[in-house]
Amino acid sequence: MSTFIDNLSNNMLLLPVSMGRIQLEVKTKKGADAIKSALGVAEGVRAGGTIGALGAMTDLAAELINRPYGHARTYTYTHTLAAAVRGHRIVTTTRTPEHLTRYAEFRHAMTNGINEFMPQYEAYYASTNGIADMGSSQITIPHPDAVREKAYINVGVPQQIRPADLDGMNRPAGLAADIAARTDAHIMQQAEAAKTAAVEELSKAVDNIEKQLTSGKRLHDSLISNAQNASRNLREFTDSFDNDPRLIEACDIVDDRIASSTLEQVKNSETLRSQAVRAASTASKSLKRVASAPAVSDEVGTIITGDSLLADLID
């Protein structure tokens, strides 16, 4: 087992996360025809007009149910790392309790929202017989059961990232070596996917900082915090995986010269603004060099491709 995989299995976990929200808008033919007429769109050209999918209850659904979903989704993409396994995120072992606590809060908020919303929606659905009057138009609204099953935040048991352990099993030695090599390769592919995503997120954040602080007119509060979160994610992953000094240096630049100041301080100080722009440019160039370099997985192990039972089935 390589040092990279050993580091990963000791410091990272796969966290199953899935979530769903209520569809708030539905396309209507009348809306599409009205848009085509107003814009003079030619026949055969796509155009669509939408209307609240839950009739008069749409705005309440957005507030009580989809808002907690949005908070959970934002948290997922800013505080956890992408995984090659669908429906999973990579998290550090040290921050797992923090993540579980936050997801419990999001789930609790959504559950409360559903409990408040559904009795009102059920009464509304019964009073309209499932046909909502929208002025000069009518739409069929979904059954309460269909609405309820769409909204959820589910988090599973955190899973270890570990290589194949075939010691003590009755198996041919060649097959065992092939299984171990393929398992290691799969783990490394997951790790490289997470690393690539983390590098891209920080690169996107610093590129946005350079652009907005140079020519942007309206600076959002998330400008600095996005870079701060992305730097933390990349640093934690790098510390837990390959300790790439180039990435650690890029994170240091972001933390010391950008994230150390608030947005208000940067906006009101030409010195801090110039420092942040230069730091963002430097970090961006460093991250792009790493992104174009060979993956560390290229240096780890070799899958048996010759006389192999698995090769005949998989390769």
Side-chain angles (χ1 to χ4, degrees), residues 61-172:
E63 176 66 26
L64 295 179
I65 299 177
N66 280 15
R67 183 182 292 273
Y69 163 89
H71 292 162
R73 189 176 187 276
T74 298
Y75 179 86
T76 297
Y77 286 101
T78 55
H79 292 276
T80 67
L81 293 164
V85 182
R86 184 177 176 84
H88 291 70
R89 304 292 292 181
I90 293 179
V91 297
T92 60
T93 54
T94 54
R95 289 186 67 190
T96 298
E98 172 190 338
H99 294 315
L100 295 178
T101 298
R102 294 292 287 129
Y103 280 117
E105 293 171 354
F106 298 136
R107 186 181 172 115
H108 182 68
M110 177 175 278
T111 299
N112 287 344
I114 291 172
N115 290 340
E116 181 178 344
F117 175 78
M118 289 310 301
Q120 299 179 64
Y121 183 73
E122 288 167 353
Y124 176 68
Y125 184 88
S127 68
T128 61
N129 291 318
I131 305 295
D133 189 347
M134 309 295 287
S136 61
S137 300
Q138 291 182 327
I139 62 167
T140 300
I141 58 176
H143 189 275
D145 291 343
V147 172
R148 188 185 295 273
E149 70 181 14
K150 289 291 185 181
Y152 60 89
I153 297 173
N154 294 329
V155 177
V157 177
Q159 302 168 5
Q160 287 183 288
I161 302 173
R162 59 195 315 171
D165 183 4
L166 304 178
D167 290 344
M169 294 183 66
N170 185 16
R171 75 284 184 256

Side-chain angles (χ1 to χ4, degrees), residues 1 6 17 26 43 45 54 64 66 72-73 89 108 113 121 124 156 160 193 205 234-235 266 276 278-279 300:
M1 179 172 63
D6 191 31
V17 179
V26 62
E43 286 298 323
V45 178
L54 304 186
L64 295 179
N66 280 15
R73 189 176 187 276
R89 304 292 292 181
H108 182 68
Y121 183 73
Y124 176 68
Q160 287 183 288
L234 181 57
R235 183 189 296 278
V266 172
R278 290 194 303 270
V300 179

Side-chain angles (χ1 to χ4, degrees), residues 16-286:
V17 179
S18 60
M19 57 190 75
R21 63 178 175 176
I22 295 173
Q23 181 180 349
L24 297 178
E25 295 182 342
V26 62
K27 290 184 178 181
T28 65
K29 185 178 185 304
K30 281 188 176 181
D33 291 343
I35 289 177
K36 285 183 177 181
S37 176
L39 299 179
V41 177
E43 286 298 323
V45 178
R46 283 193 177 191
T50 62
I51 197 169
L54 304 186
M57 302 293 291
T58 301
D59 288 346
L60 189 62
E63 176 66 26
L64 295 179
I65 299 177
N66 280 15
R67 183 182 292 273
Y69 163 89
H71 292 162
R73 189 176 187 276
T74 298
Y75 179 86
T76 297
Y77 286 101
T78 55
H79 292 276
T80 67
L81 293 164
V85 182
R86 184 177 176 84
H88 291 70
R89 304 292 292 181
I90 293 179
V91 297
T92 60
T93 54
T94 54
R95 289 186 67 190
T96 298
E98 172 190 338
H99 294 315
L100 295 178
T101 298
R102 294 292 287 129
Y103 280 117
E105 293 171 354
F106 298 136
R107 186 181 172 115
H108 182 68
M110 177 175 278
T111 299
N112 287 344
I114 291 172
N115 290 340
E116 181 178 344
F117 175 78
M118 289 310 301
Q120 299 179 64
Y121 183 73
E122 288 167 353
Y124 176 68
Y125 184 88
S127 68
T128 61
N129 291 318
I131 305 295
D133 189 347
M134 309 295 287
S136 61
S137 300
Q138 291 182 327
I139 62 167
T140 300
I141 58 176
H143 189 275
D145 291 343
V147 172
R148 188 185 295 273
E149 70 181 14
K150 289 291 185 181
Y152 60 89
I153 297 173
N154 294 329
V155 177
V157 177
Q159 302 168 5
Q160 287 183 288
I161 302 173
R162 59 195 315 171
D165 183 4
L166 304 178
D167 290 344
M169 294 183 66
N170 185 16
R171 75 284 184 256
L175 179 59
D178 200 4
I179 292 173
R182 290 175 185 275
T183 301
D184 285 358
H186 178 66
I187 291 173
M188 289 301 294
Q189 288 171 1
Q190 292 187 60
E192 289 295 347
K195 178 179 178 179
T196 297
V199 169
E200 288 177 350
E201 280 302 308
L202 184 54
S203 182
K204 187 195 310 180
V206 295
D207 285 348
N208 192 39
I209 285 175
E210 182 178 10
K211 176 183 177 181
Q212 293 299 321
L213 293 184
T214 301
S215 57
K217 295 181 179 179
R218 298 183 62 184
L219 303 179
H220 195 274
D221 290 340
S222 63
L223 187 66
I224 302 296
S225 63
N226 284 347
Q228 188 175 34
N229 289 330
S231 176
R232 180 180 182 182
N233 287 339
L234 181 57
R235 183 189 296 278
E236 289 180 348
F237 182 80
T238 304
D239 288 343
S240 302
F241 180 46
D242 58 3
N243 293 299
D244 190 328
R246 299 167 300 175
L247 295 181
I248 297 298
E249 181 181 13
C251 291
D252 286 342
I253 291 172
V254 173
D255 294 345
D256 295 342
R257 302 186 216 168
I258 299 175
S260 59
S261 302
T262 67
L263 181 61
E264 283 302 313
Q265 289 172 330
V266 172
K267 287 166 60 176
N268 297 322
S269 169
E270 189 58 40
T271 299
L272 290 179
R273 180 188 287 258
S274 298
Q275 173 183 284
V277 170
R278 290 194 303 270
S281 177
T282 300
S284 178
K285 292 174 183 176
S286 177

